[in-house]
Amino acid sequence: MKTARLSPSGNEFPIGKILCIGRNYAEHIKELGNETPDAPVVFMKPATAVIGDGETIIIPSYSRECHHEAELALLIGKGGKDIPPERALEHVAGYGVAIDLTLRDVQAELKKKGLPWEIAKGFDTSCPLSSFVPADRVADPHDLHITLRVNGEMRQDGSSSLMIHRIPQILSYMSGVFTLEPGDVILTGTPAGVGPLAAGDAVEAEVVGVAAIRVTVK
């Protein structure tokens, strides 16, 4: 069973649903040539996608183009359904960083055919995930610096202040569709700068002053 750790207490939550929001940063939308959606774009990853610090990304044999996407991650500590935006942050136990890995070539081909693209997003090792710091240690989750480096080179350098849909709206929207439960993880979208990974790469994602994760690629 995959677990999410809340540091420094060491409390662990069995990971439930991993709910992800796409197209939540304007510059990322532009770099992929997508349209800006009116409502949050939501997709899911299974808990089996999670790997931790020091572990290894394995790019599936059916893809030749795996992209990195660094994201602010939320750990749900209190469940709820139809959560009002003004109460949404009360349901967050902690904040961390995740890398949403995307098989861009597979995703593009499936999208052309109008087919679901879970195999491009939810494969094993597709969600490197850090430990979480308690929510009360983060003064403003909408003012966090998000970075990702590959082999020491900065690839992504953005801020959670640039989110189109902010955290209360994301949680309220998602809880209107899915009952949120303790241990669920929410990925809040990626800033611009996504790009390909290759075997042998060393990848480091960080929400500065909050959490970091380092993984390698096989």
Side-chain angles (χ1 to χ4, degrees), residues 47-68:
T48 50
V50 171
I51 59 173
D53 192 60
E55 295 192 67
T56 302
I57 296 164
I58 300 175
I59 300 174
S61 60
Y62 56 85
S63 174
R64 294 292 179 268
E65 190 180 7
C66 180
H67 281 202
H68 58 75

Side-chain angles (χ1 to χ4, degrees), residues 3 13 23-24 33 46 56 61 90 113 117 133 138 143-144 151-152 173 197 212:
T3 60
F13 292 74
R23 304 186 191 181
N24 201 30
T56 302
S61 60
E90 298 173 13
K113 298 175 181 178
W117 29 269
V133 300
V138 176
D143 187 25
L144 296 173
N151 301 324
Y173 180 85
L197 296 173

Side-chain angles (χ1 to χ4, degrees), residues 16-21 42-46 117-118 121-122 178:
K17 301 180 291 295
I18 303 173
L19 300 172
C20 313
I21 180 169
V42 179
F43 60 94
M44 300 176 70
K45 291 177 182 271
W117 29 269
E118 276 80 4
K121 285 282 194 179
F178 311 97

